[in-house]
Amino acid sequence: MNPQEVGYITDSEGKLTAVVVPIDLWRQILPQDNPSIETMIENIEDYCLNKVMDEAKETPLLSRQQALEFLEEDED
């Protein structure tokens, strides 16, 4: 399992029974010094935004023409 990969545990029937969260990710989401719901929500939002931004860095940029063509396709 990747250190940032969440794992899923199922029973013999395939029903999801538990989730395994790597400790580093757990500490990012729920720090020990301020375990309030508001802090947890903010940390989850930050984690998700950072993950999307990291993925976007690996995505090739479209030229202006390619972007316009993509938007035109989406309208149909």
Side-chain angles (χ1 to χ4, degrees), residues 39 59 63:
T39 300
T59 304
S63 69

Side-chain angles (χ1 to χ4, degrees), residues 1-75:
M1 178 168 26
N2 176 326
Q4 290 296 320
E5 187 175 309
V6 174
Y8 299 94
I9 299 173
T10 58
D11 62 17
S12 59
E13 298 173 359
K15 180 181 173 187
L16 185 63
T17 58
V19 177
V20 179
V21 179
I23 195 68
D24 289 339
L25 177 55
W26 178 258
R27 288 180 179 144
Q28 286 177 18
I29 293 171
L30 189 62
Q32 302 301 311
D33 61 338
N34 185 8
S36 71
I37 296 294
E38 292 81 14
T39 300
M40 187 173 68
I41 291 169
E42 287 176 16
N43 289 345
I44 291 171
E45 288 174 348
D46 288 347
Y47 171 78
C48 293
L49 181 58
N50 286 333
K51 189 163 181 69
V52 168
M53 289 171 53
D54 289 344
E55 290 174 7
K57 289 178 186 175
E58 298 174 11
T59 304
L61 295 176
L62 299 177
S63 69
R64 183 178 189 281
Q65 185 59 39
Q66 290 170 320
L68 290 172
E69 289 171 3
F70 175 79
L71 291 173
E72 288 174 0
E73 288 175 12
D74 199 38
E75 290 177 356

